[in-house]
Amino acid sequence: MKVVRATLVALAALLMAAPTVAQTGYPDRPIRIIVGFTPGSATDITARMFALKLNAAWNVPVTVENIPGAGGSVGGERVAKAAPDGTTLYWGANGAMTINPSLSPSPTFDPARDLAPIARVLVMASIVAINNDMPAKSVAELFALAKAKPGQLSYASPGVGTPQHIAGELLKSLAGVDIIHVPYRGAVLTDVMSGRVTMTLQNMGTILPVVRDGKLRGLAVTSLERVAVIPELPTLAESGFPGFEAVSWFGLLAPAGTPTPVIAKLHGDIAKIAAQADMRERLAQLGLAAAVNSPDEFAAVIKADIAKWAKVIKDANIKLSE
C-alpha cells in the first residue's frame, strides 16, 4: 500500500512539473504568427520583420500566415480558438482589437477576454493632409473653412470602421464641423490629390511619401508628440485639440490561457528585437516607432481604447453597412 501511495505521489509531482519543464524549453516547435490582413499590408510587413528576427533568435521555424477578413477579426478569432501553448500567435492591429468589437452586430470572439496580451510593439501616427489647391495652411484655417461651408468639404479614409475613419469622426465632433466622409477600399489618395476630395487622414506609412513629395499638404499628425521623420508637422494637440491622440498600433497576442512563462519569454525576446538599432531604423523609415508595453500595460491600452472608440462609434452612429 505504501508503495502504491508513494508511486501516486511521485506521479502527481511529475505531472505538476511537466508544464514547467516544457515551458523552459520553449520554443521547441514551429511557431506561426497569424495576420488578419493580406500580404503587403502594414500589419503583414511588420509581422514578417519580427518573424525573421525570432526565427534567427530561436532557431525554429517562425512563419506568418495571412487570414484576412472582417478587418482583421477572422485571424484574431482563429488565434482565440487555438491551443494556448505558444505555437499560434496573433500580430494584431488596433482596428481588430479595439474598434471591431463595437462595430460588429454579433462578434464571434472577445479580444479582451479570449486573447492574452504579450506586448504592444509598434505605434504609427496618421497625418491630416489636404489638396494643395485648398487655401488652408493650418488645421485652424481648415476648420474655419469647414464651418463657413458646412457639408461642402469631404475627407477620404481607407474604409468604414478603419482607425482613420473613426479618428476622423472624433475630430469632426471635437471641431463641430460637417465634413462628408468618403470611404475607399484601402489607401486611395488620387482623388484627394486631384481635388475631388478635400482632405484625408491616413496612416504615416501610406501617406508620408506623398506629403514629402509635396503632392498633398500635411497639416498635423495624430500622435501626442511630433514624429521624428517629419518634425515640422505639429500635433493636433498643438493645433487646438488638447489631448487628441488617434494612432494605429501593432502588438503580439496569444490565446487566453497561455502559460505565464511562455508570455514572459515572448515579451522579453520581442522587446530585445524592437530595441535593435537596425530594426528601429527600418521601422522609422516606415513612420513607425517602437513602444513596447508590458502585458499588463498592453491589456490596459486595449481596455481604454475599446471604451474610447465605442463612444465615438455610438455618437457618430457608425455602421459597417455604410
Side-chain angles (χ1 to χ4, degrees):
M1 194 68 175
K2 290 181 179 179
V3 173
V4 173
R5 186 180 295 113
T7 302
L8 291 173
V9 170
L11 180 60
L14 181 62
L15 290 173
M16 291 177 66
T20 302
V21 172
Q23 288 157 19
T24 56
Y26 176 86
D28 56 0
R29 287 179 288 167
I31 308 294
R32 64 173 181 158
I33 300 175
I34 289 180
V35 169
F37 296 90
T38 55
S41 62
T43 315
D44 174 73
I45 290 169
T46 50
R48 292 180 188 279
M49 290 170 64
F50 279 86
L52 283 172
K53 290 282 190 176
L54 289 172
N55 199 328
W58 292 340
N59 198 30
V60 300
V62 180
T63 58
V64 172
E65 182 178 349
N66 299 90
I67 304 179
S73 291
V74 173
E77 180 187 3
R78 184 74 59 89
V79 176
K81 294 179 178 178
D85 57 6
T87 60
T88 302
L89 306 173
Y90 182 50
W91 187 256
N94 58 313
M97 293 294 301
T98 66
I99 293 174
N100 288 3
S102 297
L103 283 174
S104 176
S106 53
T108 54
F109 79 107
D110 182 343
R113 180 195 65 207
D114 300 331
L115 294 172
I118 296 168
R120 185 179 73 158
V121 184
L122 305 173
V123 174
M124 178 188 286
S126 289
I127 294 178
V128 178
I130 60 175
N131 173 268
N132 284 324
D133 293 333
M134 290 288 293
K137 298 296 190 295
S138 68
V139 170
E141 291 180 6
L142 172 65
F143 287 128
L145 185 63
K147 288 180 179 179
K149 299 180 177 182
Q152 295 184 45
L153 273 60
S154 55
Y155 83 96
S157 84
V160 173
T162 59
Q164 292 73 31
H165 171 211
I166 307 300
E169 292 303 312
L170 175 59
L171 190 56
K172 282 170 52 179
S173 174
L174 294 173
V177 294
D178 177 16
I179 300 177
I180 298 171
H181 174 229
V182 183
Y184 289 82
R185 290 185 178 274
V188 180
L189 302 175
T190 51
D191 283 352
V192 186
M193 290 187 284
S194 69
R196 291 184 62 190
V197 180
T198 310
M199 58 179 284
T200 189
L201 195 152
Q202 301 278 351
N203 71 49
M204 188 79 63
T206 297
I207 200 172
L208 183 60
V210 176
V211 171
R212 276 180 166 166
D213 290 346
K215 296 176 181 177
L216 288 176
R217 182 184 304 135
L219 297 182
V221 295
T222 61
S223 50
L224 284 175
E225 297 180 354
R226 295 196 182 200
V227 179
V229 291
I230 190 162
E232 64 272 23
L233 288 189
T235 66
L236 282 167
E238 295 176 277
S239 306
F241 300 93
F244 187 98
E245 183 183 29
V247 296
S248 295
W249 50 252
F250 306 98
L252 191 64
L253 304 102
T258 298
T260 300
V262 172
I263 297 291
K265 169 69 173 173
L266 287 164
H267 178 271
D269 288 351
I270 282 290
K272 289 177 184 176
I273 291 170
Q276 293 174 3
D278 64 323
M279 282 292 283
R280 297 181 77 90
E281 183 179 349
R282 289 177 63 196
L283 291 168
Q285 291 171 354
L286 297 172
L288 287 153
V292 180
N293 297 134
S294 71
D296 287 345
E297 290 170 339
F298 191 15
V301 168
I302 292 169
K303 182 178 179 181
D305 278 5
I306 287 174
K308 175 181 179 178
W309 299 124
K311 184 179 186 306
V312 175
I313 290 165
K314 181 180 178 181
D315 291 349
N317 194 31
I318 298 170
K319 308 291 183 183
L320 281 178
S321 58
E322 288 182 21

